[in-house]
Amino acid sequence: MYHSIHNFCTIELSSFYLDFAKDIVYIEHADHPDRRSMQTVFYETLLALVKLTAPILPHTADELWSHLTFVDEQSVQLTDMPETIAVPNSEATEDKFDRFMSLRDDVLKALETARNEKIIGKSLEASLKLYPNKENKELLASIKENLSQLFIVSELTISEENEAPNDAQSFETGKITVEKAEGEMCERSRVISKDVGANPKYPTLSLRNAEIVEKYYQN
């Protein structure tokens, strides 16, 4: 149980979900549906984790619980364990997620190589081009979310070409090239974009961020 919780917190949660969630939770306006849905995930995950760790770390779990102003019970020890929720097509969703994470592992390796070669620093400095095999091309086409956000890069292209350049890195999932993204860094999102300063009122923001700030955060 300890290893399952620890691995979930460090791998799926910390190094993946919370990392790419920043570009939505920190950037979108307060009531944006994507932001609110992620806050719901945070809420449900936090409650479940505190309850699951209560038998192992009772004092720590109770201390955490005391900071949750949105719960009724005075102690986590007075609550029930989280119940399993039946999700339609969960096995297919898990299989799709596992296949995406395998592809993402290859992307991380390609980014690390580019970092070692001083092409980029942080992953948000990268312009990524994927030459996926047939299976992974279909996988990427089926994902409706913003793939640049999921890979935590500033620019992403999925090539329609059959052959990758000679300097492309090869993996089982396909081939990958990494270049430094063109443009300037948006001060609000830290993403490199070619349209930073397009709105003269906000010269240090990308067009997307300038529109959000202008519409929702005017003093």
Side-chain angles (χ1 to χ4, degrees), residues 50-89:
V50 177
K51 291 178 180 181
L52 288 170
T53 55
I56 306 170
L57 299 168
H59 299 296
T60 302
D62 256 330
E63 183 178 355
L64 283 167
W65 195 262
S66 69
H67 292 283
L68 306 184
T69 58
F70 43 78
V71 295
D72 297 325
E73 295 85 353
Q74 291 186 341
S75 169
V76 66
Q77 311 300 336
L78 300 175
T79 67
D80 295 325
M81 278 287 161
E83 295 184 3
T84 301
I85 300 174
V87 179
N89 302 316

Side-chain angles (χ1 to χ4, degrees), residues 19-20 23 104 107-108 110-112 115 120 122-130 146-157 176-181 189-193 208:
D19 207 2
F20 88 79
D23 196 49
R104 180 176 176 270
V107 168
L108 292 178
L111 291 172
E112 183 62 27
R115 191 176 293 113
I120 61 169
K122 298 179 180 179
S123 65
L124 280 176
E125 295 179 10
S127 173
L128 199 66
K129 192 166 186 177
L130 304 182
N146 187 323
L147 288 169
S148 295
Q149 288 179 344
L150 292 177
F151 288 121
I152 316 177
V153 295
S154 287
E155 187 177 19
L156 174 70
T157 304
I176 302 172
T177 61
V178 181
E179 297 179 350
K180 192 172 181 64
S189 67
R190 320 305 290 179
V191 171
I192 295 177
S193 174
R208 171 197 171 202

Side-chain angles (χ1 to χ4, degrees), residues 186-197:
C186 170
E187 280 192 352
R188 189 165 184 265
S189 67
R190 320 305 290 179
V191 171
I192 295 177
S193 174
K194 295 177 183 177
D195 61 14
V196 170

Side-chain angles (χ1 to χ4, degrees), residues 2 4 8 11-12 28 36 51 59 90 96-97 122-123 143-144 147 166 174 181-182 185 193 196-197 205 210:
Y2 161 76
S4 295
F8 171 75
I11 300 173
E12 284 89 359
E28 298 294 353
R36 295 294 290 162
K51 291 178 180 181
H59 299 296
S90 61
K96 182 177 179 180
F97 179 78
K122 298 179 180 179
S123 65
I143 297 173
K144 306 306 178 186
L147 288 169
N166 293 331
E182 296 181 4
M185 183 182 70
S193 174
V196 170
L205 301 183

Side-chain angles (χ1 to χ4, degrees), residues 117-147:
E117 294 175 354
K118 309 299 182 184
I119 297 173
I120 61 169
K122 298 179 180 179
S123 65
L124 280 176
E125 295 179 10
S127 173
L128 199 66
K129 192 166 186 177
L130 304 182
Y131 299 81
N133 56 31
K134 181 180 178 181
E135 179 184 358
N136 283 285
K137 184 174 289 188
E138 293 173 352
L139 169 66
L140 292 170
S142 71
I143 297 173
K144 306 306 178 186
E145 287 75 21
N146 187 323
L147 288 169

